[in-house]
Amino acid sequence: MTKLSDRVKQLSPSPTLAITATANSLKQQGHNVVGLGAGEPDFNTPEHILAAAKDAMDKGYTKYTASGGIKELKDAIIAKFENENRLTYSPKEIMVTVGGKEGLYNLFQVILNDGDEVIVPAPYWVSYIEQVKLAGGSSVIVEGKEENHLKITASQLEEAITSNTKALILNSPSNPTGMIYSAQELKELGDVCVKHDLLIISDEIYEHLIYDGKPHVSIASLDEEFFQRTIIITGVSKTYAMTGWRIGYAAGPQEIIQAMTDLQSHSTSNPTSIAQYAAIAALTGTQEPVATMLSAFKERRDYVIERIQNIAGFRCITPPGAFYAFIHIKDALGSKYGSVDEWSTALLKDELVAVVPGSAFGADDYIRISYATSMDNLKEAFDRIEHFVHASTSLVSK
């Protein structure tokens, strides 16, 4: 008889992956499904990155590498942090991971003991909670209020800290909300972390996907004491349309990075050799494809916000970053649906539009849609959503 471990029995499946799998299954059955669930660019990886991968294969760079990544990629990452974020790291303070997700997983494994607490602002990315749980820790959820653009404040952070608190995790720009913490907001949060001797985990995977001229600020760049306690987790997946290449990277205190590297040596051994050479091209080559994708995402964002504003019962704070719209839809449920989860399931069944209910992110009154898809798909999806809302609630467009 199969006997699973207690820690695995605690896990909840990823709702975003589940929604995507259901949508793909319906597509395979011949249904015309419009998927707004997946958090990945619809563009292919840029040509110069593909060429670098082919060149690496042709040169025979297909063997094991150092567990924490090849020197050439570490050098490119160090230069990236210096040039873009005003942060100076040594090679021993950098590691390459199998995607940003594995970087976070490794980090929680090496810093958490049973009973340690991690403060997680909500709305949150779905895997934070499960990864903390797998490391024996507990997530303390702090709700970002709508009046503060779904971000937490320093006073909220202070109130949530206990003797068991080990770290704060920040995600800016945010998945699922697209919100960005300003330098002042980060400074206030960082001061609280210094006061209580907390680690800061800064998930910056969407740092290049920012609109309207707003800057990205890494909390580690604001104060030397912040720098000394911050671990940055990021990668090439979102910026360069490289989700399947699985290359992330981490930067932080040498002791923590070394422990993460040691752990990785016993799990994946090393990130894929070919993908590492592709990532070098991504970081050091032309950034023109990034600008092209960013322009397309902004056009789509603006279209999505306009459509949302014309659906009765919907409201959404315009997201300054990432490629998600986090839409408050509680007022559109009417009496027919008892929850956003039920509404989202019915939308997929009746109109073949896949969205992710906010319960996956700790915000029950919302849905998340990704606008990292074509304009044609977005137009079709919102036509169907408008029809669904009108038919199910008798609410009419403004």
Side-chain angles (χ1 to χ4, degrees), residues 259-270:
M260 292 171 64
T261 303
D262 291 344
L263 177 63
Q264 184 162 278
S265 74
H266 292 293
S267 56
T268 61
S269 290
N270 59 267

Side-chain angles (χ1 to χ4, degrees), residues 7 10-18 98-109 112 118-139 141 169 171 174-176 201 203 205-206 233 238 246 324 356-362 368:
R7 62 182 175 277
Q10 297 180 75
L11 285 178
S12 302
S14 167
T16 52
L17 293 180
V98 185
K101 183 179 285 188
E102 195 215 16
L104 286 163
Y105 179 88
N106 288 347
L107 175 58
F108 289 129
Q109 289 291 322
L112 295 182
V118 177
I119 295 177
V120 182
Y124 47 73
W125 179 54
V126 296
S127 290
Y128 294 149
I129 308 301
E130 305 304 321
Q131 290 190 352
V132 169
K133 193 187 300 181
L134 281 171
S138 300
S139 296
I141 309 302
I169 187 162
N171 180 206
S174 161
N175 175 9
I201 303 166
D203 180 348
I205 194 72
Y206 294 97
I233 303 290
K238 312 296 184 179
R246 308 314 302 137
Y324 307 107
V356 185
S359 57
F361 311 103
R368 189 197 77 175

